[in-house]
């Protein structure tokens, strides 16, 4: 499936999930086309979120030491060239060890414009990126989960922070989808299903 088709499918499923949540809030039953039969639960799966699929959620280790304070959240751009924040900023001390969230191969280690950046290509089509990080690795190096890849430098945020980005097949996605220790939201019915 092409990237535009996958994004359209994610948008369609997001709209369907939003509609179901709104119906649950107002206490209405969903239409038969989205209801399971005779009390069955309806399940929506976003492409790439199935643990048997690429990009398994909740499996990356945090690349910066605790506490994991999100200074700035991911903001998806409307188009590939629109403004947005293509990652998250995690508060961390200057000089902190930055580690690989998952095993992979160093895709890039060097300077982009005026910032040192490290990118790691993982086996499942994901690429993680880190800035501003003084690299201890070189392009082509194989890294293990939790292995130090560099040290955090100042310069990305007003207070020191690590910018963590994630791309799936070239499209930016929120790294929070892949980090461990984040409880997933679960919507529970407020009344029995009919």
């Amino acid at each position: 499936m092409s990237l535009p088709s996958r994004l359209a499918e994610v948008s369609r499923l997001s709209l369907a999930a939003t509609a179901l949540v709104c119906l649950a809030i107002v206490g209405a039953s969903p239409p038969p086309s989205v209801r399971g039969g005779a009390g069955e639960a309806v399940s929506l799966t976003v492409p790439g979120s199935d643990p048997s699929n690429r990009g398994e959620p909740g499996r990356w280790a945090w690349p910066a030491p605790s506490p994991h304070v999100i200074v700035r959240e991911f903001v998806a751009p409307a188009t590939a060239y629109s403004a947005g924040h293509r990652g998250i900023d995690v508060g961390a001390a200057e000089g902190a060890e930055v580690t690989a969230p998952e095993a992979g191969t160093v895709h890039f280690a060097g300077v982009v414009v005026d910032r040192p950046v490290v990118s790691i290509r993982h086996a499942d089509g994901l690429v993680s990126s880190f800035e501003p990080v003084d690299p201890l690795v070189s392009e082509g190096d194989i890294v293990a989960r939790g292995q130090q890849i560099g040290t955090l430098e100042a310069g990305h945020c007003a207070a020191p922070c690590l910018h963590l980005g994630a791309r799936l097949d070239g499209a930016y996605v929120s790294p929070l989808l892949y980090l461990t220790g984040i409880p997933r939201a679960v919507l529970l019915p407020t009344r029995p299903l009919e």
Side-chain angles (χ1 to χ4, degrees), residues 56-75:
E56 180 181 339
R59 68 133 205 261
W60 280 5
W62 284 84
S66 293
H68 303 123
V69 177
I70 306 299
V71 178
R72 187 170 175 202
E73 295 182 2
F74 174 82
V75 178

Side-chain angles (χ1 to χ4, degrees), residues 125-190:
L126 282 168
V127 174
S128 56
S129 59
F130 315 86
E131 64 176 90
V133 174
D134 183 23
L136 296 175
V137 293
S138 300
E139 185 176 330
D141 288 353
I142 295 174
V143 294
R145 174 188 173 108
Q147 177 182 336
Q148 185 177 0
I149 58 171
T151 55
L152 182 64
E153 293 188 351
H156 184 69
C157 303
C161 75
L162 171 68
H163 178 83
L164 170 61
R167 292 182 315 222
L168 178 60
D169 296 328
Y172 285 94
V173 294
S174 175
L176 292 175
L177 296 171
Y178 302 102
L179 291 165
T180 59
I182 299 174
R184 301 293 179 218
V186 177
L187 297 175
L188 300 173
T190 58

Side-chain angles (χ1 to χ4, degrees), residues 112-136:
V112 175
V113 184
D114 62 349
R115 291 191 189 138
V117 176
V118 175
S119 294
I120 300 172
R121 183 174 302 281
H122 306 283
D124 52 11
L126 282 168
V127 174
S128 56
S129 59
F130 315 86
E131 64 176 90
V133 174
D134 183 23
L136 296 175

